[in-house]
Amino acid sequence: MMFNDSLISNSDTRSLSSSQKEELIENVKQQIAIANAQELITKMSEKCFKKCILKPGASLDNSEQKCVAMCMDRYLETWNLVSKSYQIRIQHEKDRN
Amino acid sequence: MTDIFSSDQSISSSLPDSKEVDAELQQFLLIERERAKIQAQIHEFSDICWDKCMDKPGNKLDSRTETCLANCVDRFIDVSLLIANRFSQMVQKNSGNF
């Protein structure tokens, strides 16, 4: 995971100034966002290659490129929809307990 | 998959002692770690449910696909809960031996 424990345990964080702390927090947030984007790109490449490139030719032809663009949009939509469904389910489970 | 919903115990125990770490930072990391876990779960669901529900990608998600995706997430969670429960029953019955 991205939170390497060494980040917080190697130095005494009580001695951080508040601006250093802010910087650290921003840094961690940014790293998380990058990791998330990378994961998305990896998944989309894999999924859209599978869907759109049936037989790899000498170059990406026009229809393949269009397919990939559309596939990417749909994957992002899928991600958002899945995210929403999951959050709703989490809320349901919390309400039940 | 046993921690689809939450796992506060495992989080707090895996972070350094609160005496060593600034409370505000610790709180921030707890929240971000939980958020990252949920996000990883969403990536996994998207992967699985895309394969189950998506035909040829069109101009928009049709309502049939949207329903399929929402059901897919819920049923996947049902299955993992069912399996976790049944597994723990099996373990109990066999008093620890499979």
Side-chain angles (χ1 to χ4, degrees):
Chain A
M1 208 174 223
M2 298 139 281
F3 312 112
N4 211 317
D5 283 336
S6 63
L7 183 76
I8 40 180
S9 54
N10 274 355
S11 61
D12 189 346
T13 51
R14 280 171 304 184
S15 59
L16 287 180
S17 73
S18 75
S19 73
Q20 277 177 317
K21 211 159 68 181
E22 230 166 79
E23 202 186 317
L24 181 63
I25 286 178
E26 263 329 293
N27 216 309
V28 171
K29 275 187 180 167
Q30 209 175 17
Q31 282 184 37
I32 294 171
I34 289 169
N36 196 35
Q38 261 166 352
E39 177 71 14
L40 254 180
I41 290 169
T42 306
K43 293 272 190 211
M44 288 191 294
S45 303
E46 181 196 318
K47 298 298 179 192
C48 297
F49 182 83
K50 236 188 238 174
K51 285 266 186 240
C52 296
I53 294 17
L54 301 177
K55 234 176 166 234
S59 69
L60 265 193
D61 66 36
N62 219 292
S63 69
E64 286 171 333
Q65 287 184 30
K66 268 191 198 135
C67 178
V68 168
M70 210 132 68
C71 174
M72 213 180 137
D73 292 346
R74 297 296 82 72
Y75 198 85
L76 290 170
E77 261 183 283
T78 296
W79 202 93
N80 287 326
L81 204 141
V82 162
S83 169
K84 213 169 69 190
S85 299
Y86 185 34
Q87 316 268 6
I88 290 170
R89 179 66 184 257
I90 292 173
Q91 199 50 54
H92 268 237
E93 296 292 327
K94 274 187 188 150
D95 292 345
R96 252 183 17 169
N97 296 324
Chain B
M1 290 298 292
T2 49
D3 58 359
I4 285 190
F5 294 111
S6 102
S7 49
D8 303 320
Q9 318 89 328
S10 67
I11 299 172
S12 44
S13 61
S14 60
L15 277 178
D17 206 319
S18 55
K19 271 170 274 173
E20 295 167 30
V21 180
D22 179 284
E24 187 193 339
L25 270 183
Q26 199 191 23
Q27 183 62 17
F28 165 74
L29 287 174
L30 281 175
I31 290 168
E32 290 304 319
R33 187 174 285 201
E34 192 61 21
R35 222 202 291 273
K37 271 191 182 175
I38 289 174
Q39 215 138 53
Q41 194 66 64
I42 296 169
H43 282 300
E44 199 189 320
F45 289 153
S46 298
D47 185 329
I48 293 165
C49 296
W50 171 270
D51 287 344
K52 280 264 183 249
C53 297
M54 187 55 73
D55 237 7
K56 198 98 183 128
N59 272 318
K60 62 188 281 283
L61 279 186
D62 57 46
S63 66
R64 200 173 49 105
T65 309
E66 284 184 1
T67 311
C68 179
L69 289 168
N71 286 338
C72 174
V73 172
D74 267 326
R75 296 300 80 72
F76 189 93
I77 294 170
D78 289 344
V79 168
S80 48
L81 290 175
L82 189 75
I83 286 181
N85 285 335
R86 189 159 183 277
F87 188 80
S88 79
Q89 280 168 11
M90 284 162 75
V91 171
Q92 270 171 355
K93 244 183 236 153
N94 297 313
S95 51
N97 302 313
F98 305 127

